[in-house]
């Protein structure tokens, strides 16, 4: 096992990694920007190093500085967390070249999966359905138009290097395609430094369902079931649950097997997620995320594994200690992302200083957060401040546990989406498990109307 790991991230995921390392008797080094010196991950790590100014480009994204921080503190491995450098193949390569183990897949696998157009081709070769679309990158608007004519409107123009819904534009007809093509390309260039785009059929009212996998360096791959992530705002996930109310057993095992096949043919190692859109009884691959994901605790609550521990073991060259049949998924888990933002003001981020703070506890409730009273929600970084995760024997019990947990949560000093999360837990369609990725867009006005809560008992009747 590693002696010392550099945690190349910040916020709750940095703390999450520091905690698991401590439990494994592995020392940690926290790197931080000038405004992050008082984060909990920095306080709990064995060592800390300031690596630059607040803008991520001058600290957490500065590859040379991160690698030299690992070398000068005598680390033998680097955990990238999610976001920042986690899916940067050049960074993974730079770590390997410096003699550091990158806790994640190989640079080759990251590079291939990061190129979404190439990943679609690989997946199609495995016999897994991909969303109908262009054959690879489209370089000009005429090629995009031909691809769109073939699959039929509406379509999405998507950045090949994209993610988080950025560099993605909808076109409803040939006229709209020109504008969508140009905007997607320029956004892709601005966000990812790469203007390559491809065309994909827009699946109307789909669900987003993803499969968590673990793969060791001996070719063993297992899946840990699915996460349903269709409650999204602006293509970003807000609430995740497992199991998905949309899947029956045969679809569940088909998607699990597909995810394992994809990981095997990509030569993937580590923890990863294969994302699908689901429409009725059909599922289509959209992308594979080559990292640990924000919503991984939903899976941990059901399978009892610590995925960060598994990442470290795999990166240290150990074989998986279990096979597919050993994986037992129990109960129903839900996660709500608590974000410092104002849902009544177009989800505008709400940075500031946190006053009184109280997080919930009790049986089956987990909170992942590095916030404490007096800490700051910085305008420089992502505004997610906590994840509240619950697990209970049935879905209705999990929903009730989440309501109780959210009702106990108090975050003063910044605006948050706590009310919205709570109201989702009372929404009739959510309770029936009958929702798709357009849920927030269609229901926001009604959700923010507190009177809706009186529907709660009726809705519960519906779910029984
Ligand atoms: P990520 O945010 O995980 O990097 P994407 O940017 O590819 O993933 O997609 C973000 C969201 O956009 C998905 O969760 C899904 O809701 C939606 N989406 C992506 N592709 C399609 C599609 N072809 N049809 C309908 N919705 C899609």
């Amino acid at each position: 096992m590693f002696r010392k790991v550099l945690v190349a991230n910040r916020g709750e995921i940095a703390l999450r990694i520091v905690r698991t390392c401590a439990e494994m008797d592995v020392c940690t080094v926290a790197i931080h920007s000038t405004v992050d010196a008082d984060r909990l991950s920095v306080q709990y790590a064995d060592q800390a190093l300031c690596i630059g100014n607040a803008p991520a480009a001058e600290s957490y994204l500065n590859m040379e500085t991160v690698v030299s921080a690992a070398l000068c503190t005598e680390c033998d491995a680097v955990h990238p967390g999610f976001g920042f450098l986690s899916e940067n193949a050049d960074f993974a390569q730079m770590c390997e070249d410096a003699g550091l183990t990158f806790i994640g897949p190989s640079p080759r696998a990251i590079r291939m999966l990061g190129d979404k157009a190439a990943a679609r081709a690989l997946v199609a070769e495995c016999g897994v359905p991909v969303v109908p679309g262009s054959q690879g990158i489209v370089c000009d608007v005429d090629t995009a138009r031909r691809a769109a004519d073939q699959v039929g409107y509406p379509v999405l123009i998507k950045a090949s290097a994209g993610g988080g819904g950025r560099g993605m534009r909808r076109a409803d007809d040939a006229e709209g395609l020109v504008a969508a093509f140009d905007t997607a390309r320029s956004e892709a260039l601005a966000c990812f430094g790469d203007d390559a785009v491809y065309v994909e059929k827009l699946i109307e009212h789909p669900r987003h369902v993803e499969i968590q996998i673990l793969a060791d360096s001996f070719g063993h791959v297992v899946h840990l079931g699915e996460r349903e992530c269709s409650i999204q705002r602006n293509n970003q996930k807000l609430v995740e649950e497992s199991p998905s109310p949309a899947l029956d057993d045969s679809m569940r095992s088909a998607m699990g097997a597909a995810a394992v096949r994809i990981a095997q043919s990509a030569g993937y190692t580590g923890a990863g997620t294969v994302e699908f859109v689901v429409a009725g009884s059909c599922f289509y691959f959209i992308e594979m995320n080559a990292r640990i994901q924000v919503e991984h605790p939903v899976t941990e609550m059901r399978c009892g594994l610590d995925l960060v521990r598994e990442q470290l073991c795999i990166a240290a060259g150990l074989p998986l200690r279990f096979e597919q049949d050993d994986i037992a998924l129990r109960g129903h888990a839900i996660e709500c992302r608590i974000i410092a933002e104002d849902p009544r003001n177009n989800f505008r981020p709400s940075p500031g200083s946190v006053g009184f703070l109280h997080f919930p506890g009790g049986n089956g409730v987990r909170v992942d957060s590095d916030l404490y009273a007096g800490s700051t929600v910085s305008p420089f970084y992502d505004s997610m401040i906590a994840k509240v995760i619950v697990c209970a024997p049935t879905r209705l019990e999990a929903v009730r546990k989440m309501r109780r947990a959210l009702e106990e949560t108090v975050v003063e000093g910044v605006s948050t989406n706590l009310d919205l999360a709570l109201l989702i837990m009372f929404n009739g369609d959510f309770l029936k498990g009958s929702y798709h990725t357009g849920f927030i867009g269609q229901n926001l006005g009604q959700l923010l109307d507190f009177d809706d809560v009186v529907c709660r008992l009726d809705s519960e009747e519906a779910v029984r």
Side-chain angles (χ1 to χ4, degrees):
M1 188 39 68
F2 305 113
R3 215 179 44 78
K4 205 194 255 189
V5 170
L6 182 110
V7 183
N9 214 298
R10 66 176 301 282
E12 63 88 21
I13 189 61
L15 179 60
R16 164 81 191 79
I17 298 162
V18 165
R19 282 175 165 159
T20 289
C21 287
E23 290 169 17
M24 295 176 76
D25 205 20
V26 171
C27 293
T28 44
V29 176
I31 50 168
H32 62 88
S33 68
T34 44
V35 292
D36 273 348
D38 55 0
R39 308 308 303 188
L40 278 190
S41 52
V42 174
Q43 297 179 39
Y44 289 175
D46 297 286
Q47 253 177 289
L49 210 58
C50 180
I51 57 155
N53 294 325
E58 296 173 31
S59 46
Y60 301 104
L61 288 174
N62 186 333
M63 298 196 269
E64 287 81 9
T65 308
V66 176
V67 169
S68 51
L71 292 175
C72 77
T73 51
E74 298 181 325
C75 288
D76 42 10
V78 174
H79 196 310
F82 48 65
F84 293 132
L85 297 170
S86 61
E87 289 179 286
N88 186 315
D90 292 340
F91 177 66
Q93 188 64 58
M94 202 183 268
C95 289
E96 304 286 311
D97 293 347
L100 299 160
T101 302
F102 177 80
I103 302 177
S106 67
R108 193 183 149 274
I110 299 177
R111 192 161 282 124
M112 203 217 334
L113 295 165
D115 176 345
K116 292 193 189 184
R120 276 165 56 83
L122 171 107
V123 169
E125 265 172 45
C126 300
V128 175
V130 297
V131 182
S134 57
Q135 297 270 357
I137 303 297
V138 289
C139 297
D140 55 72
V141 79
D142 286 335
T143 320
R145 201 178 284 129
R146 274 196 299 278
D149 285 341
Q150 213 159 37
V151 298
Y153 288 94
V155 296
L156 286 171
I157 311 291
K158 291 173 92 169
S160 192
R166 285 173 303 169
M168 186 161 95
R169 283 292 180 279
R170 174 189 176 125
D172 289 293
D173 48 36
E175 209 175 302
L177 188 82
V178 180
F181 184 79
D182 289 341
T183 330
R185 268 179 46 142
S186 45
E187 194 172 299
L189 187 63
C191 293
F192 312 109
D194 178 354
D195 69 355
V197 294
Y198 60 101
V199 177
E200 217 174 69
K201 174 136 189 89
L202 184 126
I203 308 291
E204 305 259 23
H205 308 311
R207 302 182 72 124
H208 174 121
V209 181
E210 58 189 31
I211 307 284
Q212 175 73 54
I213 62 105
L214 285 176
D216 68 16
S217 41
F218 304 93
H220 304 132
V221 186
V222 296
H223 71 82
L224 304 174
E226 81 276 17
R227 292 184 292 257
E228 160 79 61
C229 311
S230 301
I231 306 282
Q232 307 179 348
R233 58 128 176 80
N234 307 331
N235 293 314
Q236 289 179 2
K237 301 159 188 166
L238 274 187
V239 177
E240 300 96 349
E241 65 175 316
S242 180
S244 164
L247 302 192
D248 59 20
D249 283 346
S250 81
M251 234 174 127
R252 180 167 287 122
S253 63
M255 290 174 76
V260 167
R261 245 178 9 254
I262 292 167
Q264 272 163 342
S265 51
Y268 194 88
T269 48
T273 300
V274 182
E275 298 192 325
F276 298 95
V277 284
V278 171
S281 58
C282 299
F283 63 87
Y284 306 95
F285 169 86
I286 46 172
E287 65 167 349
M288 179 162 184
N289 288 146
R291 54 172 159 83
I292 190 104
Q293 282 189 284
V294 173
E295 58 273 25
H296 75 275
V298 169
T299 300
E300 292 184 325
M301 294 290 263
R302 292 194 67 216
C303 70
L305 292 169
D306 175 334
L307 294 186
V308 172
R309 171 186 279 265
E310 297 306 324
Q311 286 188 298
L312 261 74
C313 289
I314 292 168
L318 299 172
L320 288 177
R321 292 162 292 125
F322 37 78
E323 298 186 5
Q324 191 63 57
D325 289 346
D326 300 322
I327 309 287
L329 299 169
R330 292 197 182 82
H332 197 101
I334 306 177
E335 171 179 280
C336 287
R337 299 187 187 194
I338 308 306
I339 304 173
E341 65 184 12
D342 184 358
R344 287 184 168 76
N345 195 357
N346 201 22
F347 297 99
R348 212 162 88 177
S350 170
S353 182
V354 176
F356 182 77
L357 179 76
H358 178 72
F359 282 133
N363 191 23
V365 177
R366 163 175 168 179
V367 178
D368 279 19
S369 174
D370 75 333
L371 220 58
Y372 56 90
S375 60
T376 306
V377 178
S378 169
F380 289 99
Y381 313 110
D382 190 275
S383 39
M384 186 179 76
I385 51 175
K387 304 184 302 204
V388 177
I389 313 106
V390 300
C391 194
T394 66
R395 186 167 188 266
L396 182 57
E397 286 168 287
V399 169
R400 286 186 174 148
K401 199 181 277 287
M402 181 59 87
R403 289 175 186 165
R404 189 273 286 169
L406 294 174
E407 274 163 359
E408 285 179 16
T409 307
V410 184
V411 183
E412 288 185 351
V414 293
S415 296
T416 72
N417 65 341
L418 261 171
D419 285 347
L420 176 63
L422 183 59
L423 290 161
I424 292 170
M425 295 299 126
F426 285 104
N427 176 274
D429 287 335
F430 179 77
L431 289 173
K432 283 183 231 151
S434 154
Y435 59 86
H436 54 74
T437 53
F439 174 86
I440 295 281
Q442 287 178 2
N443 292 292
L444 189 62
Q446 189 209 350
L447 280 166
L448 293 177
D449 177 358
F450 281 69
D451 292 343
D452 194 38
V453 175
V454 296
C455 300
R456 118 192 214 178
L457 292 175
D458 293 348
S459 313
E460 284 197 4
E461 280 310 313
V463 96
R464 278 200 191 104

